[in-house]
Amino acid sequence: MREITYAEAAIEAIGEEMEKDDKIFYMGEDVGRFGGSYGTTKGLWERFGDDRVKDTPMSEAAIVGYGLGAAITGMRPVVEIMFVDLLCLAMDQIVNQVAKIHYMFGGKAKVPLVIRVPFGGLRRAAGQHSQHLEAWFLHTPGLKIVVPSDPYHVKGLLKTAIRENNPVMCLEHILLYQIRGGVPEGDYTLPIGKAQIKREGKDVTVVSYSLMLHRCLSVAEKLHKQGIEVEVIDLGSLHPLDMETVVASVKKTNRVAIVHQACLTGGVGAEVGIRITEAAFDYLDAPVKRIAARDVPVPFSPVLEDFVVPTEERIEGEIKGML
Amino acid sequence: MKLDKQLLLDMYGRMLRIRKFELKVEELHLRGILPGLKHLYIGEEAVAVGVTFNLREDDYIGSTHRGHGHLIAKGGDVKIIMAELYGKKTGYCKGKGGSMHIADINIGILGANGIVAANIPIVGGAALSAKLRGTDQVAVSFFGDGGANEGMFHEGVNLASVWKLPAIFICENNQYAISTSQSKATAIPNIADRAKSYGIPGFTVDGMDVLAVYEITGEAVARAREGKGPTLVECKTYRFKGHYVGEGSRELSYRSREELKKCQEKCPIQKFKWTLTKEGILTEGLAEKINRQIDKELEEAIKFAEESPYPSPEDALEDLFFEEET
Ligand SMILES: Cc1ncc(C[n+]2csc(CCOP(=O)(O)OP(=O)(O)O)c2C)c(N)n1
Ligand SMILES: [Mg+2]
């Protein structure tokens, strides 16, 4: 299979869908001729023009609100917010409007809206440009959330998201945009809410997503050389959560850690962890472990950020401590 | 306007210090020495200097992601700013904030800010506080043409107007928000025209002319101190470098080489230097002396930053909450 970057795979998904359906349009800050701050839309403006690839003023609440208004009146917008941190400025639209309209209207309005959100720390960008806020959206019924970890998944999941008649947030770690991976040419979709077993193992299950998944896979390889077999699961979606895959794995390995770059308290790990205890308590030989960023804003200095975010060494040490 | 010679020379020196500081930052970043994101103020020095030279040390400013110029203009210590950019323990934020969060509450710098337009309501709050405490302090918000399209601009300016707060809103219109030109983002040519809708005075001024900025904001500051409420001042300026250090040739997707060249010819520092020379206030010898003095200061700042220790990793866990001393 040919290899392309994560950013290219995402653009391919959007471009192919836009070719097929002229109800789809794209909007956000600097997504037009500039091609997106991280190249998230490179080449789309040249293909589809101003009407379908729209640069907006700096107005995050309007970006999401306009997306919602267009979605419930017959269009299929894909909107982009430059960093998840900036979604804070659009929280009313997302939490009070986008997530609830279908339900509050008694099922009478469809919301085919995709919100694409680059995010992620380890870029030395400090407290307001490094956050991992995904758990907030997990705590907001009515939103589907995907967190693709590689080029193959971002293409397949974005296509599904664009065809969905429900709001989907696609959280894309900025440090993944340049990674390369095999991606089929042409059309394929991947289901939202399906986790992937990335590596099989019998000793312990490690559940992760997005950038941290890559750290977990690298740790699994190191532990393999030490005779420890780690089963690594990529959640792929945070809502719905594919607990079936996770629980089946835990029943096999009897030990589980959840690893994420978001801070510990109230994070995805807490939700996944409690669901594991509810479904497989009798199978657990050790308490469910969460390996997460420390509970502080993300600091700037590399020495500080590397202490806050789980490193491979920390993940490795914590996993060994469970055995 | 008849101004004191020393004041004029100080303004010139301050602008040059900002310029040279930013050039150093660019160089250190491109050499891989400074981590993180940096947005340079080069080309816009006349705005920060023209505005802050009307302020007292106890007045407040709220700054932006493009904040180094504001901080230096308000009296921030280049050594401590530099140490912060290096991520060192001796920096303004002990390495926790970096370029976009530098603050010095003691001299009224309420922080650079990574969220565009977020300082507008915060500055409004500082102005409210000054009024409630019965002082004659004023508070200045700097924000860009892009920032003026955020809801926080509208909410912040409107409230300051209704409550007649001692605030000055300085729109640094450098004509772009990253790649988006102002003409694509607003249907009016002058952002200051919005002042009318808030019932406050609004002025558009040449932001490449430090004396013009100084004069207009001087009036705005005086009005604020006298309890007559806020003013919106739009300074037309231009950013000479990419949106952030490392943007490279991507800027050519939204502005042409010709445009860049034409605008760079209006360098605010060169322009001011000519004026001062023509008036006989600045001589070549004096200019050289100021230049050397700044070079020395910057060398010392870099030396200080380089020799300073990094924080220890566990320091990351400190400062989450204010702890009462026991
Ligand atoms: C609320 C918000 N939206 C988007 C961004 C991303 N961003 C950072 S700077 C910038 C452009 C700012 O333009 P302007 O306000 O004109 O200031 P300038 O950079 O030109 O000084 C953008 C879009 C941000 N930091 N905050
Ligand atoms: Mg601007």
Side-chain angles (χ1 to χ4, degrees), chain B residues 145-158:
Chain B
D145 46 296
N149 293 323
E150 293 284 358
M152 288 185 283
F153 165 82
H154 168 72
E155 298 182 28
V157 177
N158 181 57

Side-chain angles (χ1 to χ4, degrees), chain B residues 103-117:
Chain B
D104 187 351
I105 299 280
N106 295 327
I107 53 170
I109 300 172
L110 304 181
N113 205 314
I115 305 300
V116 170

